[in-house]
C-alpha cells in the first residue's frame, strides 16, 4: 500500500501472533487512519539489528517484547525515569528529529488499574505482596511503591529484602494486595499456582494476577474460595499498557499534544468505549 506514511512495529524473537499488532491495527481502523498507518513485526535474531530498523521509512515507534526489553536500553537516546528504574523498556517513541525515547508502559498500565479498582481505598493502607522476580515484577513494584504502598517481595529463596514463601503465614495480617507476576497458572499449565498460604486469606486480601490467559487463574479461583476480599484479572493491564503506548507514540513532540485529526478520532473512540 503506497499510502502508508506512518509505521509502528514490534521487536522481539521469536514472534508469533501478537496482541500489539492486532490492537494497533484495530485502533488505526477505528479512528480512520487505516490507509496511512500500519503495524509490522520485526522478528530480529539480535538486538544489534535495531539501528537498521530506525532507517525504515515512516517509522514512528516500536513495542518491545522478549528477549529485548533490557537489551534495547543502550541503543536509546533517552529513557523515561520509570523505565530507567525498572531497567526495562517496552515502548519506544521515535521523535521527529530521529532521536529515540524509551518507556515502560507496563508500569503505567498496571498503576492505572490499581487506581481504578474500587478496592484501592481498602488495600492502600496495608503492605502489598509481589510474587515473582522478573521484569514484570519490577514494573509492578515500582508502580505500587510510587502510590505510597510498601512492598514485600517474595521468592522461593529468601535473601536481603526478599522473603520466602515459608515466611508468608506470619506476614499475612500486614498485607492487603497480593500480585502474581510469575507465569504460574498461565496456559497450558492452568492447574499451577503460586504457593501462598491460601488458608490465611481473609476479606482484607485482594488478589491481582497479571496473567490473562486464562482470565481466571487457579490463583484467583483459590482466592475467591478462601474468602479474599476481591480479585482482579490481567486483561485490563494488557489493554492499559497498550493504551498508554498508543498515547505516547501519538504525541507530537513540540506541542506535547496529538494532531487535531487524531485527537478528534481518539475522543470519539473514548466516548464510544
Amino acid at each position: 500500500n503506497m499510502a502508508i506514511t506512518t509505521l509502528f512495529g514490534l521487536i522481539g524473537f521469536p514472534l508469533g501472533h501478537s496482541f500489539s499488532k492486532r490492537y494497533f491495527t484495530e485502533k488505526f481502523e477505528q479512528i480512520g487512519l487505516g490507509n496511512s498507518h500500519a503495524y509490522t513485526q520485526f522478528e530480529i535474531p539480535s538486538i544489534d539489528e535495531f539501528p537498521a530498523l530506525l532507517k525504515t521509512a515512516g517509522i514512528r515507534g516500536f513495542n518491545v517484547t522478549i528477549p529485548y526489553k533490557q537489551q534495547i536500553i543502550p541503543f536509546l537516546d533517552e529513557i523515561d525515569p520509570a523505565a530507567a528504574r525498572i531497567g526495562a523498556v517496552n515502548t519506544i517513541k521515535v521523535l521527529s528529529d530521529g532521536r529515540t525515547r524509551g518507556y515502560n508502559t507496563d508500569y503505567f498500565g498496571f498503576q492505572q488499574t490499581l487506581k481504578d479498582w474500587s478496592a484501592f481505598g481498602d488495600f492502600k493502607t496495608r503492605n502489598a505482596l509481589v510474587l515473582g522476580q522478573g521484569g514484570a515484577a519490577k514494573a509492578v513494584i515500582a508502580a505500587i511503591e510510587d502510590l505510597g504502598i510498601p512492598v514485600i517481595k517474595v521468592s522461593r529463596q529468601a535473601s536481603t529484602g526478599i522473603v520466602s514463601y515459608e515466611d508468608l503465614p506470619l506476614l499475612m495480617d500486614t498485607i492487603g494486595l497480593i500480585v502474581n507476576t510469575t507465569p504460574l497458572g498461565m496456559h497450558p499449565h492452568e492447574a499451577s499456582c503460586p504457593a501462598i498460604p491460601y488458608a490465611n486469606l481473609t476479606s482484607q486480601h485482594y488478589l491481582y494476577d497479571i496473567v490473562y490467559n486464562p482470565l481466571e487463574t487457579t490463583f484467583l479461583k483459590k482466592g475467591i474460595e478462601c474468602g479474599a476480599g476481591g480479585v482482579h484479572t490481567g486483561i485490563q493491564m494488557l489493554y492499559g499498557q497498550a493504551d498508554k503506548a498508543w498515547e505516547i507514540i501519538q504525541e507530537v513532540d513540540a506541542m506535547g499534544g496529538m494532531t487535531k485529526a487524531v485527537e478528534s478520532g481518539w475522543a470519539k473512540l473514548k466516548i464510544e468505549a
Side-chain angles (χ1 to χ4, degrees):
N1 184 342
M2 293 305 291
I4 298 296
T5 55
T6 307
L7 189 66
F8 301 98
L10 175 67
I11 300 169
F13 190 87
L15 291 175
H17 292 291
S18 142
F19 166 80
S20 299
K21 181 173 168 117
R22 195 172 74 238
Y23 169 94
F24 279 93
T25 304
E26 283 172 7
K27 186 77 77 188
F28 301 151
E29 292 298 328
Q30 283 169 320
I31 61 179
L33 298 174
N35 293 328
S36 60
H37 286 49
Y39 193 97
T40 188
Q41 298 196 163
F42 297 106
E43 190 172 39
I44 55 173
S46 163
I47 197 63
D48 295 329
E49 295 185 31
F50 175 68
L53 299 184
L54 283 172
K55 298 185 172 73
T56 311
I59 196 77
R60 304 306 301 149
F62 299 92
N63 291 119
V64 186
T65 189
I66 293 162
Y68 300 133
K69 290 186 183 188
Q70 283 89 22
Q71 294 177 35
I72 191 79
I73 292 173
F75 290 86
L76 304 175
D77 296 309
E78 297 174 19
I79 182 164
D80 179 73
R85 269 172 58 216
I86 294 157
V89 160
N90 72 343
T91 300
I92 299 165
K93 179 177 169 65
V94 181
L95 305 175
S96 52
D97 61 7
R99 284 178 308 120
T100 52
R101 187 181 296 147
Y103 298 84
N104 188 306
T105 66
D106 290 333
Y107 168 96
F108 297 103
F110 177 77
Q111 193 177 71
Q112 193 59 50
T113 62
L114 284 191
K115 292 193 286 194
D116 292 345
W117 194 356
S118 56
F120 183 61
D122 297 334
F123 61 71
K124 74 173 181 188
T125 56
R126 295 190 170 94
N127 294 323
L129 181 69
V130 176
L131 318 175
Q133 294 290 292
K138 290 188 178 72
V140 162
I141 289 164
I144 295 171
E145 287 180 340
D146 286 354
L147 291 173
I149 301 170
V151 172
I152 297 171
K153 300 167 198 167
V154 63
S155 189
R156 285 177 299 243
Q157 207 66 51
S159 59
T160 312
I162 298 171
V163 304
S164 74
Y165 283 90
E166 287 76 57
D167 299 327
L168 291 182
L170 296 172
L171 298 170
M172 294 298 278
D173 284 354
T174 73
I175 292 162
L177 176 67
I178 306 174
V179 187
N180 175 43
T181 75
T182 78
L184 292 167
M186 194 192 291
H187 175 80
H189 305 290
E190 284 94 344
S192 64
C193 63
I196 65 162
Y198 293 94
N200 294 44
L201 291 174
T202 69
S203 60
Q204 85 174 31
H205 300 111
Y206 294 86
L207 276 55
Y208 191 132
D209 204 327
I210 71 168
V211 169
Y212 51 86
N213 179 21
L215 211 49
E216 194 179 72
T217 57
T218 299
F219 170 68
L220 297 183
K221 281 191 186 129
K222 287 178 79 157
I224 293 163
E225 284 162 16
C226 295
V231 299
H232 199 297
T233 70
I235 198 80
Q236 290 92 342
M237 177 184 173
L238 179 69
Y239 278 93
Q241 64 79 23
D243 285 341
K244 185 68 184 181
W246 171 240
E247 187 185 303
I248 287 167
I249 50 190
Q250 278 310 307
E251 281 174 3
V252 179
D253 316 350
M255 296 154 43
M258 297 181 189
T259 60
K260 283 286 164 266
V262 172
E263 205 166 47
S264 58
W266 182 236
K268 180 168 161 282
L269 182 65
K270 281 289 196 202
I271 292 160
E272 286 168 4

